[in-house]
Amino acid sequence: GNSVTQMEGPVTLSEEAFLTINCTYTATGYPSLFWYVQYPGEGLQLLLKATKADDKGSNKGFEATYRKETTSFHLEKGSVQVSDSAVYFCALSAGAGSYQLTFGKGTKLSVIP
Amino acid sequence: DAGVIQSPRHEVTEMGQEVTLRCKPISGHDYLFWYRQTMMRGLELLIYFNNNVPIDDSGMPEDRFSAKMPNASFSTLKIQPSEPRDSAVYFCASSHHGRGLNEQYFGPGTRLTVT
């Protein structure tokens, strides 16, 4: 079956540091890949997505590249801010039009001034 | 536009009591999803609806759980009787078929505590 593995948290960084959150997946076929973000007390929000190999999703300074050869979709940001403190979830779906989202366990990021 | 609305935000109840969680999806969205989030199991899809019709309830843990969607703007998730192991955050999400089912918009969640 499909599964998503992301790095254990929590992650604590100083403001303006570089962020990487690792995500690898197992899936049959050609899944779509996502990063969702959950701010304290809120629901999940779609941060970025990629639907085919070598696609790069980007939003709000965050980026992730769909690497089929390494089955990875690592999240990166060059300079984090305190406002980026949240829980980040990597997720996949079996493909365009699929209803099923399989989520990783989430990685909590804390950014300190 | 208003996002997905859930109520209550917090619910504390005693074991054996009935619990009803409510959700109002984004207007115009034709898919609605119920998820449960726990530390141990992460996010799990419980059930989803299309045009008010339940499509897949294979994630519903047991018969104590039921969900309805009487119209396009309202859905409920009911647990009867509740048990301590049902304590979790329950999320409702909605999406529109034109944007792909995997672009889901989540509500703020209901934190349920069963004592």
Side-chain angles (χ1 to χ4, degrees):
Chain A
N2 298 334
S3 67
V4 174
T5 303
Q6 57 182 107
M7 64 188 287
E8 296 280 333
V11 174
T12 302
L13 295 173
S14 297
E15 206 165 20
E16 299 184 3
F18 185 86
L19 169 70
T20 300
I21 300 178
N22 290 337
C23 171
T24 57
Y25 67 90
T26 301
T28 54
Y30 301 93
S32 296
L33 301 174
F34 307 84
W35 278 100
Y36 278 78
V37 59
Q38 184 178 24
Y39 297 103
E42 299 183 12
L44 280 71
Q45 303 174 24
L46 179 63
L47 180 60
L48 54 85
K49 70 174 184 178
T51 57
K52 61 182 187 295
D54 299 325
D55 265 3
K56 177 184 284 188
S58 62
N59 186 24
K60 298 181 181 180
F62 291 89
E63 293 184 341
T65 300
Y66 189 142
R67 301 287 189 199
K68 190 166 178 62
E69 64 276 14
T70 55
T71 62
S72 65
F73 193 55
H74 304 323
L75 182 68
E76 296 182 337
K77 187 176 185 182
S79 176
V80 295
Q81 305 301 311
V82 172
S83 57
D84 294 326
S85 298
V87 181
Y88 292 82
F89 293 88
C90 186
L92 69 82
S93 71
S98 169
Y99 71 91
Q100 184 83 32
L101 279 174
T102 300
F103 286 91
K105 289 290 183 71
T107 302
K108 183 176 182 179
L109 170 67
S110 297
V111 180
I112 55 177
Chain B
D1 286 341
V4 175
I5 298 171
Q6 291 187 248
S7 64
R9 293 293 307 274
H10 301 273
E11 177 78 43
V12 180
T13 191
E14 292 184 348
M15 183 174 63
Q17 296 298 306
E18 177 180 296
V19 175
T20 300
L21 312 181
R22 297 172 176 79
C23 174
K24 176 178 170 56
I26 293 173
S27 177
H29 281 192
D30 51 354
Y31 285 83
L32 184 140
F33 306 82
W34 282 100
Y35 289 88
R36 179 171 66 176
Q37 184 181 39
T38 61
M39 290 294 291
M40 289 295 295
R41 300 174 67 93
L43 266 165
E44 303 171 278
L45 177 65
L46 301 177
I47 184 172
Y48 83 99
F49 296 81
N50 176 220
N51 291 325
N52 314 336
V53 176
I55 302 300
D56 186 347
D57 65 355
S58 60
M60 297 286 262
E62 48 196 280
D63 291 346
R64 297 184 297 106
F65 287 69
S66 62
K68 295 181 179 180
M69 192 165 186
N71 57 62
S73 59
F74 184 65
S75 177
T76 60
L77 177 68
K78 184 176 293 186
I79 308 172
Q80 165 63 17
S82 58
E83 296 182 2
R85 60 194 168 116
D86 301 331
S87 297
V89 180
Y90 291 82
F91 288 103
C92 176
S94 69
S95 69
H96 183 269
H97 69 273
R99 298 183 64 93
L101 298 183
N102 38 45
E103 290 199 32
Q104 297 176 17
Y105 295 79
F106 283 73
T110 295
R111 182 174 295 277
L112 174 64
T113 302
V114 183
T115 61

